[in-house]
Amino acid sequence: MFADYFWFFVAATSYLAGSVPFGLLTAKIVAGTDIRKVGSGNIGATNVARTLGAKWGILVLLLDALKGLLPVLFIPALFVSADSPDFDHARVLSGVATILGHMFPIWLGFRGGKGVATSLGVILMLGPWSTLVAVGAFALTFLFWRIVALSSVLAAFAFGVAQFIQLGSSAFTQQKWSLAVFSIAVPLLIIVRHWSNLGRILRGEEKKFQFGSRNKAAENPSEIKVDEEA
């Protein structure tokens, strides 16, 4: 069985992995810019793309997704055998801790990103088929409205629905209960993190996504208008 203190190790190491602020580090290295002081002030891939340009936003998206995927892939395996009945629960714990690390990183005063890219990496490991549904929902929504926050919220909702359809009657069995709870809690958390965006969407004030310019961010960060996207 999974020793009690191993749960702590899985959670702590996953949280620390998730708390690495790739958006902040990328902006510092590329443009000497504190990404928290430009655009929306968010450290996620959307703000990096808006302020530094497409390639850097995509890089941060990939790095944030990997820091969700890799802990779930490797950290539980360090402490428990894959054939243990606790293995799936350890993977879910690792995923939750990684997402919370990104959203509330200890290094940045617990003020991090909104968790979409990191959650993408996690759900690729925990629910790959439902992830395809979520990605499809994001892509279609973004294609029509080009609003990242709306696309993220609908993708989170689509993932939760797809997961419960796939889990069916096994959703709250002893083996799957943690995944079922994850499939409710994480989409809700992402929706809550986008609550202010949803208010602006309802008021017609949420801005559509446009890529920014590295030079503009690097030379005159004060000129980049502040808004709060995903």
Side-chain angles (χ1 to χ4, degrees):
M1 293 295 291
F2 202 26
D4 289 344
Y5 56 88
F6 283 172
W7 294 108
F8 171 78
F9 290 144
V10 168
T13 52
S14 298
Y15 170 85
L16 291 175
S19 67
V20 178
F22 284 119
L24 180 66
L25 294 173
T26 298
K28 283 283 189 183
I29 293 169
V30 170
T33 300
D34 187 340
I35 198 67
R36 296 170 295 179
K37 297 179 180 179
V38 296
S40 68
N42 193 278
I43 66 169
T46 302
N47 195 33
V48 172
R50 282 190 167 185
T51 56
L52 300 184
K55 65 180 180 180
W56 301 114
I58 292 170
L59 175 63
V60 172
L61 173 67
L62 292 174
L63 291 173
D64 281 347
L66 282 173
K67 79 177 182 183
L69 185 151
L70 294 177
V72 178
L73 180 61
F74 291 113
I75 290 175
L78 295 175
F79 300 103
V80 61
S81 169
D83 58 3
S84 166
D86 289 324
F87 184 69
D88 288 341
H89 301 313
R91 280 162 42 100
V92 172
L93 175 63
S94 177
V96 171
T98 304
I99 293 167
L100 291 177
H102 177 79
M103 291 181 173
F104 309 104
I106 190 172
W107 326 111
L108 303 181
F110 303 101
R111 298 184 64 183
K114 296 190 176 181
V116 175
T118 302
S119 296
L120 174 62
V122 171
I123 65 176
L124 275 170
M125 292 299 302
L126 298 181
W129 292 110
S130 299
T131 301
L132 289 177
V133 174
V135 170
F138 183 99
L140 286 173
T141 306
F142 187 77
L143 179 66
F144 282 104
W145 287 285
R146 296 189 65 81
I147 298 175
V148 175
L150 179 62
S151 303
S152 299
V153 166
L154 291 180
F157 179 77
F159 172 80
V161 172
Q163 273 290 91
F164 273 90
I165 291 173
Q166 185 176 3
L167 288 171
S169 60
S170 68
F172 290 100
T173 60
Q174 185 174 1
Q175 184 179 1
K176 297 293 184 180
W177 70 265
S178 61
L179 182 57
V181 172
F182 172 94
S183 302
I184 297 172
V186 170
L188 282 177
L189 184 57
I190 289 175
I191 292 169
V192 168
R193 293 286 286 176
H194 287 85
W195 200 252
S196 60
N197 303 83
L198 293 175
R200 285 193 298 277
I201 290 169
L202 291 174
R203 296 191 300 270
E205 299 172 357
E206 186 77 356
K207 296 183 181 299
K208 294 186 177 183
F209 179 81
Q210 291 181 330
F211 286 115
S213 162
R214 170 185 170 180
N215 291 332
K216 184 176 181 181
E219 295 171 7
N220 256 320
S222 61
E223 292 183 2
I224 299 177
K225 187 176 181 180
V226 174
D227 63 311
E228 292 185 84
E229 81 288 336

